[in-house]
PDB file of all heavy atoms in Angstrom:
ATOM      1  N   THR A  14       0.552   8.220   3.327  1.00  0.00           N
ATOM      2  CA  THR A  14       0.669   7.554   1.922  1.00  0.00           C
ATOM      3  C   THR A  14       0.739   6.066   2.049  1.00  0.00           C
ATOM      4  O   THR A  14       0.540   5.434   3.002  1.00  0.00           O
ATOM      5  CB  THR A  14       2.068   8.025   1.333  1.00  0.00           C
ATOM      6  OG1 THR A  14       2.090   7.739  -0.078  1.00  0.00           O
ATOM      7  CG2 THR A  14       3.263   7.402   2.025  1.00  0.00           C
ATOM      8  N   ARG A  15       0.766   5.462   0.892  1.00  0.00           N
ATOM      9  CA  ARG A  15       0.800   4.072   0.647  1.00  0.00           C
ATOM     10  C   ARG A  15       2.317   3.644   0.326  1.00  0.00           C
ATOM     11  O   ARG A  15       2.995   4.469  -0.183  1.00  0.00           O
ATOM     12  CB  ARG A  15      -0.021   3.510  -0.457  1.00  0.00           C
ATOM     13  CG  ARG A  15      -1.468   3.676  -0.350  1.00  0.00           C
ATOM     14  CD  ARG A  15      -2.224   3.121  -1.458  1.00  0.00           C
ATOM     15  NE  ARG A  15      -2.126   1.689  -1.482  1.00  0.00           N
ATOM     16  CZ  ARG A  15      -2.866   0.813  -0.539  1.00  0.00           C
ATOM     17  NH1 ARG A  15      -3.683   1.483   0.320  1.00  0.00           N
ATOM     18  NH2 ARG A  15      -2.760  -0.438  -0.520  1.00  0.00           N
ATOM     19  N   ILE A  16       2.647   2.536   0.780  1.00  0.00           N
ATOM     20  CA  ILE A  16       4.029   1.992   0.428  1.00  0.00           C
ATOM     21  C   ILE A  16       3.857   0.906  -0.612  1.00  0.00           C
ATOM     22  O   ILE A  16       3.064  -0.013  -0.440  1.00  0.00           O
ATOM     23  CB  ILE A  16       4.746   1.511   1.742  1.00  0.00           C
ATOM     24  CG1 ILE A  16       4.777   2.442   2.690  1.00  0.00           C
ATOM     25  CG2 ILE A  16       6.100   0.909   1.259  1.00  0.00           C
ATOM     26  CD1 ILE A  16       5.327   1.967   4.065  1.00  0.00           C
ATOM     27  N   THR A  17       4.647   1.064  -1.746  1.00  0.00           N
ATOM     28  CA  THR A  17       4.544   0.073  -2.761  1.00  0.00           C
ATOM     29  C   THR A  17       5.833  -0.685  -2.740  1.00  0.00           C
ATOM     30  O   THR A  17       7.022  -0.056  -2.731  1.00  0.00           O
ATOM     31  CB  THR A  17       4.397   0.823  -4.174  1.00  0.00           C
ATOM     32  OG1 THR A  17       3.197   1.552  -4.256  1.00  0.00           O
ATOM     33  CG2 THR A  17       4.444  -0.205  -5.301  1.00  0.00           C
ATOM     34  N   TYR A  18       5.753  -1.936  -2.695  1.00  0.00           N
ATOM     35  CA  TYR A  18       6.939  -2.876  -2.758  1.00  0.00           C
ATOM     36  C   TYR A  18       7.073  -3.594  -4.071  1.00  0.00           C
ATOM     37  O   TYR A  18       6.064  -4.008  -4.730  1.00  0.00           O
ATOM     38  CB  TYR A  18       6.777  -3.892  -1.653  1.00  0.00           C
ATOM     39  CG  TYR A  18       6.815  -3.331  -0.281  1.00  0.00           C
ATOM     40  CD1 TYR A  18       5.644  -3.114   0.475  1.00  0.00           C
ATOM     41  CD2 TYR A  18       8.069  -3.057   0.333  1.00  0.00           C
ATOM     42  CE1 TYR A  18       5.630  -2.590   1.732  1.00  0.00           C
ATOM     43  CE2 TYR A  18       8.015  -2.481   1.695  1.00  0.00           C
ATOM     44  CZ  TYR A  18       6.909  -2.290   2.320  1.00  0.00           C
ATOM     45  OH  TYR A  18       7.052  -1.729   3.566  1.00  0.00           O
ATOM     46  N   PHE A  19       8.246  -3.623  -4.564  1.00  0.00           N
ATOM     47  CA  PHE A  19       8.600  -4.310  -5.881  1.00  0.00           C
ATOM     48  C   PHE A  19       9.608  -5.276  -5.510  1.00  0.00           C
ATOM     49  O   PHE A  19      10.687  -5.101  -5.074  1.00  0.00           O
ATOM     50  CB  PHE A  19       9.199  -3.224  -6.864  1.00  0.00           C
ATOM     51  CG  PHE A  19       9.651  -3.827  -8.144  1.00  0.00           C
ATOM     52  CD1 PHE A  19       8.948  -4.623  -8.836  1.00  0.00           C
ATOM     53  CD2 PHE A  19      10.907  -3.479  -8.621  1.00  0.00           C
ATOM     54  CE1 PHE A  19       9.338  -5.243 -10.050  1.00  0.00           C
ATOM     55  CE2 PHE A  19      11.300  -3.907  -9.849  1.00  0.00           C
ATOM     56  CZ  PHE A  19      10.510  -4.836 -10.596  1.00  0.00           C
ATOM     57  N   ILE A  20       9.241  -6.566  -5.630  1.00  0.00           N
ATOM     58  CA  ILE A  20      10.187  -7.703  -5.193  1.00  0.00           C
ATOM     59  C   ILE A  20      10.478  -8.455  -6.506  1.00  0.00           C
ATOM     60  O   ILE A  20       9.671  -8.863  -7.206  1.00  0.00           O
ATOM     61  CB  ILE A  20       9.416  -8.582  -4.163  1.00  0.00           C
ATOM     62  CG1 ILE A  20       9.025  -7.853  -2.898  1.00  0.00           C
ATOM     63  CG2 ILE A  20      10.185  -9.873  -3.944  1.00  0.00           C
ATOM     64  CD1 ILE A  20       8.123  -8.639  -2.112  1.00  0.00           C
ATOM     65  N   ARG A  21      11.810  -8.503  -6.712  1.00  0.00           N
ATOM     66  CA  ARG A  21      12.349  -9.213  -7.863  1.00  0.00           C
ATOM     67  C   ARG A  21      13.011 -10.338  -7.325  1.00  0.00           C
ATOM     68  O   ARG A  21      13.622 -10.411  -6.338  1.00  0.00           O
ATOM     69  CB  ARG A  21      13.331  -8.307  -8.680  1.00  0.00           C
ATOM     70  CG  ARG A  21      12.690  -7.054  -9.224  1.00  0.00           C
ATOM     71  CD  ARG A  21      13.559  -6.306 -10.149  1.00  0.00           C
ATOM     72  NE  ARG A  21      14.969  -6.227  -9.638  1.00  0.00           N
ATOM     73  CZ  ARG A  21      15.988  -5.919 -10.349  1.00  0.00           C
ATOM     74  NH1 ARG A  21      15.899  -5.661 -11.599  1.00  0.00           N
ATOM     75  NH2 ARG A  21      17.240  -5.834  -9.779  1.00  0.00           N
ATOM     76  N   PHE A  22      13.125 -11.454  -8.229  1.00  0.00           N
ATOM     77  CA  PHE A  22      13.874 -12.626  -7.879  1.00  0.00           C
ATOM     78  C   PHE A  22      14.526 -13.173  -9.242  1.00  0.00           C
ATOM     79  O   PHE A  22      13.977 -12.839 -10.318  1.00  0.00           O
ATOM     80  CB  PHE A  22      13.004 -13.769  -7.249  1.00  0.00           C
ATOM     81  CG  PHE A  22      11.675 -14.025  -7.977  1.00  0.00           C
ATOM     82  CD1 PHE A  22      11.654 -15.090  -9.008  1.00  0.00           C
ATOM     83  CD2 PHE A  22      10.528 -13.366  -7.613  1.00  0.00           C
ATOM     84  CE1 PHE A  22      10.406 -15.327  -9.657  1.00  0.00           C
ATOM     85  CE2 PHE A  22       9.290 -13.753  -8.321  1.00  0.00           C
ATOM     86  CZ  PHE A  22       9.259 -14.623  -9.247  1.00  0.00           C
ATOM     87  N   GLN A  23      15.575 -13.871  -9.003  1.00  0.00           N
ATOM     88  CA  GLN A  23      16.299 -14.472 -10.247  1.00  0.00           C
ATOM     89  C   GLN A  23      16.789 -15.783  -9.881  1.00  0.00           C
ATOM     90  O   GLN A  23      17.247 -16.085  -8.768  1.00  0.00           O
ATOM     91  CB  GLN A  23      17.527 -13.654 -10.577  1.00  0.00           C
ATOM     92  CG  GLN A  23      18.234 -14.116 -11.817  1.00  0.00           C
ATOM     93  CD  GLN A  23      19.355 -13.263 -12.244  1.00  0.00           C
ATOM     94  OE1 GLN A  23      19.952 -12.492 -11.442  1.00  0.00           O
ATOM     95  NE2 GLN A  23      19.697 -13.275 -13.502  1.00  0.00           N
ATOM     96  N   ASN A  24      16.560 -16.705 -10.726  1.00  0.00           N
ATOM     97  CA  ASN A  24      16.953 -18.215 -10.562  1.00  0.00           C
ATOM     98  C   ASN A  24      18.471 -18.318 -10.823  1.00  0.00           C
ATOM     99  O   ASN A  24      18.887 -18.187 -11.936  1.00  0.00           O
ATOM    100  CB  ASN A  24      16.142 -19.042 -11.532  1.00  0.00           C
ATOM    101  CG  ASN A  24      16.551 -20.496 -11.345  1.00  0.00           C
ATOM    102  OD1 ASN A  24      17.220 -20.922 -10.404  1.00  0.00           O
ATOM    103  ND2 ASN A  24      16.117 -21.324 -12.342  1.00  0.00           N
ATOM    104  N   LYS A  25      19.176 -18.560  -9.751  1.00  0.00           N
ATOM    105  CA  LYS A  25      20.590 -18.813  -9.820  1.00  0.00           C
ATOM    106  C   LYS A  25      20.950 -20.161  -9.203  1.00  0.00           C
ATOM    107  O   LYS A  25      21.951 -20.419  -8.574  1.00  0.00           O
ATOM    108  CB  LYS A  25      21.369 -17.697  -9.189  1.00  0.00           C
ATOM    109  CG  LYS A  25      21.293 -16.388  -9.896  1.00  0.00           C
ATOM    110  CD  LYS A  25      22.277 -15.390  -9.264  1.00  0.00           C
ATOM    111  CE  LYS A  25      22.270 -14.133 -10.173  1.00  0.00           C
ATOM    112  NZ  LYS A  25      23.289 -13.152  -9.656  1.00  0.00           N
ATOM    113  N   THR A  26      19.968 -21.139  -9.286  1.00  0.00           N
ATOM    114  CA  THR A  26      20.141 -22.426  -8.724  1.00  0.00           C
ATOM    115  C   THR A  26      20.950 -23.375  -9.478  1.00  0.00           C
ATOM    116  O   THR A  26      21.422 -24.457  -8.988  1.00  0.00           O
ATOM    117  CB  THR A  26      18.617 -23.026  -8.625  1.00  0.00           C
ATOM    118  OG1 THR A  26      18.162 -23.359  -9.802  1.00  0.00           O
ATOM    119  CG2 THR A  26      17.829 -22.162  -7.608  1.00  0.00           C
ATOM    120  N   GLY A  27      21.159 -23.162 -10.730  1.00  0.00           N
ATOM    121  CA  GLY A  27      21.972 -24.063 -11.592  1.00  0.00           C
ATOM    122  C   GLY A  27      21.016 -25.051 -12.470  1.00  0.00           C
ATOM    123  O   GLY A  27      21.509 -25.805 -13.141  1.00  0.00           O
ATOM    124  N   PHE A  28      19.703 -24.854 -12.235  1.00  0.00           N
ATOM    125  CA  PHE A  28      18.802 -25.691 -12.977  1.00  0.00           C
ATOM    126  C   PHE A  28      17.496 -25.015 -13.115  1.00  0.00           C
ATOM    127  O   PHE A  28      17.260 -23.977 -12.469  1.00  0.00           O
ATOM    128  CB  PHE A  28      18.503 -27.118 -12.236  1.00  0.00           C
ATOM    129  CG  PHE A  28      18.174 -26.941 -10.815  1.00  0.00           C
ATOM    130  CD1 PHE A  28      16.799 -26.753 -10.408  1.00  0.00           C
ATOM    131  CD2 PHE A  28      19.042 -26.979  -9.829  1.00  0.00           C
ATOM    132  CE1 PHE A  28      16.439 -26.563  -9.125  1.00  0.00           C
ATOM    133  CE2 PHE A  28      18.723 -26.775  -8.482  1.00  0.00           C
ATOM    134  CZ  PHE A  28      17.323 -26.540  -8.118  1.00  0.00           C
ATOM    135  N   THR A  29      16.603 -25.337 -14.063  1.00  0.00           N
ATOM    136  CA  THR A  29      15.293 -24.838 -14.270  1.00  0.00           C
ATOM    137  C   THR A  29      14.397 -25.071 -13.028  1.00  0.00           C
ATOM    138  O   THR A  29      14.307 -26.114 -12.555  1.00  0.00           O
ATOM    139  CB  THR A  29      14.656 -25.273 -15.554  1.00  0.00           C
ATOM    140  OG1 THR A  29      15.495 -24.998 -16.649  1.00  0.00           O
ATOM    141  CG2 THR A  29      13.348 -24.704 -15.785  1.00  0.00           C
ATOM    142  N   VAL A  30      13.764 -23.964 -12.630  1.00  0.00           N
ATOM    143  CA  VAL A  30      12.847 -24.000 -11.486  1.00  0.00           C
ATOM    144  C   VAL A  30      11.427 -24.041 -12.026  1.00  0.00           C
ATOM    145  O   VAL A  30      11.042 -23.225 -12.902  1.00  0.00           O
ATOM    146  CB  VAL A  30      13.144 -22.821 -10.607  1.00  0.00           C
ATOM    147  CG1 VAL A  30      11.991 -22.690  -9.532  1.00  0.00           C
ATOM    148  CG2 VAL A  30      14.494 -22.871  -9.995  1.00  0.00           C
ATOM    149  N   SER A  31      10.628 -24.922 -11.415  1.00  0.00           N
ATOM    150  CA  SER A  31       9.232 -24.951 -11.769  1.00  0.00           C
ATOM    151  C   SER A  31       8.270 -24.267 -10.740  1.00  0.00           C
ATOM    152  O   SER A  31       7.186 -23.945 -11.135  1.00  0.00           O
ATOM    153  CB  SER A  31       8.800 -26.451 -12.003  1.00  0.00           C
ATOM    154  OG  SER A  31       9.017 -27.177 -10.876  1.00  0.00           O
ATOM    155  N   ASN A  32       8.688 -24.102  -9.563  1.00  0.00           N
ATOM    156  CA  ASN A  32       7.934 -23.484  -8.486  1.00  0.00           C
ATOM    157  C   ASN A  32       8.654 -22.426  -7.687  1.00  0.00           C
ATOM    158  O   ASN A  32       9.639 -22.815  -7.265  1.00  0.00           O
ATOM    159  CB  ASN A  32       7.337 -24.526  -7.560  1.00  0.00           C
ATOM    160  CG  ASN A  32       6.422 -25.529  -8.262  1.00  0.00           C
ATOM    161  OD1 ASN A  32       5.277 -25.123  -8.708  1.00  0.00           O
ATOM    162  ND2 ASN A  32       6.806 -26.717  -8.202  1.00  0.00           N
ATOM    163  N   VAL A  33       8.065 -21.288  -7.600  1.00  0.00           N
ATOM    164  CA  VAL A  33       8.696 -20.187  -6.866  1.00  0.00           C
ATOM    165  C   VAL A  33       7.636 -19.733  -5.817  1.00  0.00           C
ATOM    166  O   VAL A  33       6.441 -19.529  -6.254  1.00  0.00           O
ATOM    167  CB  VAL A  33       9.154 -18.950  -7.728  1.00  0.00           C
ATOM    168  CG1 VAL A  33       9.678 -17.881  -6.889  1.00  0.00           C
ATOM    169  CG2 VAL A  33      10.237 -19.530  -8.698  1.00  0.00           C
ATOM    170  N   SER A  34       8.060 -19.527  -4.666  1.00  0.00           N
ATOM    171  CA  SER A  34       7.113 -18.960  -3.550  1.00  0.00           C
ATOM    172  C   SER A  34       7.876 -17.682  -3.025  1.00  0.00           C
ATOM    173  O   SER A  34       8.992 -17.682  -2.786  1.00  0.00           O
ATOM    174  CB  SER A  34       6.902 -19.916  -2.405  1.00  0.00           C
ATOM    175  OG  SER A  34       6.193 -20.989  -2.868  1.00  0.00           O
TER     176      SER A  34
END
Side-chain angles (χ1 to χ4, degrees):
T14 193
R15 299 186 65 76
I16 300 171
T17 300
Y18 292 101
F19 176 48
I20 300 172
R21 296 187 318 163
F22 50 88
Q23 183 177 24
N24 178 12
K25 292 187 174 187
T26 63
F28 53 88
T29 298
V30 169
S31 56
N32 297 297
V33 175
S34 296

